[in-house]
Amino acid sequence: MLTTAFAPGSPNWLDLTSPDAPASVAFYSTVFGWAFEPAGPESGGYGFFQQDGRTVAALGPGGEAARPGWTVYFCTADADRTTEVVEAAGGKVRLAPFTVFTDGRAAGYTDPTGAAFAVWEPRDTPGLDVVDEPGTFCWAECFSVDAEAAKAFYRAVFSWQEQDVPLGDVMYTVLTPAGGGTEDAHGGIVQLGPEHTAAGTTSHWLPYIEVPNVDAAVALAGQLGATVRTAPTDVHGVGRLAQLTDPHGAAFAVITSSVEGG
């Protein structure tokens, strides 16, 4: 489960790139009950999704060339050093490390299989204020065209611990920060099937948002223009989940976790 302890290698930030920030604010505010707080005139339009005054995600306007999507950030103690490791392991640097006021430093990458992700080096802002509660970020999943290559890459970059678990017809790799226990698992890696790649699906990270009722969230999102990628499904010991794309094409997932799954 995600926590705000933010061990190195654990998810500590989540933001959305949108071509129409007001429309995205309206969509996610309705689906999840979030409020939006602009970061200020010097932020370039960046701002924060909040729940009860606590930051649960963020949003930034995308330029004409920017692809709409959610970006998962992982905690690092040194963004410059992580950048060196990413390049040595075969990843690409999309955004070189840069300082964000006194809050911290960030950098963006693409793994060797094509999935985009980022890191956040905390200073005044450790990360999100709340996770793993209804209406908040609770899991990060990497769908990869080459799961074995992805695992090798992230193992080199973050030293994640891995546990392979059969999930139907596929093998699912559960990820845990180095030195953590099973209760500290924060995400997974799964191989994209040929039916997905044939349909044009590329490697990507998918954030999960905890919701009280998956079916209700999916129905509401659909009314607001979202597309259902995977209909609500029960996964034993995990919960009921579904995958969607928002009206601009950004992929995300919703889950109502079972008691066993946390």
Side-chain angles (χ1 to χ4, degrees):
M1 60 181 286
L2 270 62
T3 74
T4 53
F6 301 135
S10 66
N12 64 343
W13 196 256
L14 177 69
D15 67 16
L16 172 68
T17 298
S18 171
D20 187 339
S24 291
V25 167
F27 174 81
Y28 288 100
S29 295
T30 303
V31 174
F32 297 129
W34 292 343
F36 184 71
E37 182 67 30
E42 70 282 2
S43 67
Y46 200 82
F48 310 106
F49 285 118
Q50 296 188 326
Q51 180 173 272
D52 299 326
R54 300 178 297 175
T55 297
V56 298
L59 178 148
E64 292 183 2
R67 182 177 179 179
W70 284 98
T71 300
V72 177
Y73 291 68
F74 300 96
C75 184
T76 180
D78 187 335
D80 293 286
R81 175 56 184 157
T82 299
T83 298
E84 295 174 358
V85 176
V86 164
E87 291 183 302
K92 295 181 180 179
V93 178
R94 292 183 297 108
L95 291 171
F98 61 96
T99 301
V100 182
F101 306 113
T102 61
D103 297 287
R105 303 190 76 229
Y109 315 109
T110 303
D111 76 21
T113 80
F117 69 104
V119 294
W120 178 252
E121 177 189 327
R123 290 183 180 173
D124 289 349
T125 300
L128 300 175
D129 291 331
V130 58
V131 295
D132 208 45
E133 293 183 7
T136 72
F137 183 31
C138 66
W139 192 253
E141 205 161 75
C142 180
F143 289 85
S144 180
V145 297
D146 188 339
E148 291 303 317
K151 286 191 285 185
F153 170 78
Y154 291 108
R155 195 182 305 131
V157 175
F158 295 119
S159 300
W160 286 338
Q161 299 170 175
E162 303 167 6
Q163 180 182 6
D164 289 334
V165 179
L167 189 64
D169 297 330
V170 301
M171 187 64 70
Y172 189 93
T173 301
V174 178
L175 306 169
T176 305
T182 55
E183 70 280 2
D184 300 316
H186 64 259
I189 294 178
V190 63
Q191 176 72 40
L192 280 169
E195 70 278 12
H196 299 106
T197 53
T201 304
T202 56
S203 298
H204 62 283
W205 278 94
L206 186 74
Y208 279 69
I209 306 298
E210 184 75 33
V211 294
N213 186 306
V214 162
D215 295 84
V218 169
L220 179 56
Q223 293 171 11
L224 297 171
T227 300
V228 178
R229 295 202 321 175
T230 302
T233 305
D234 292 312
V235 179
H236 178 71
V238 175
R240 188 165 176 79
L241 53 90
Q243 298 176 16
L244 308 99
T245 54
D246 73 15
H248 296 110
F252 67 102
V254 289
I255 183 170
T256 300
S257 298
S258 66
V259 174
E260 299 95 326

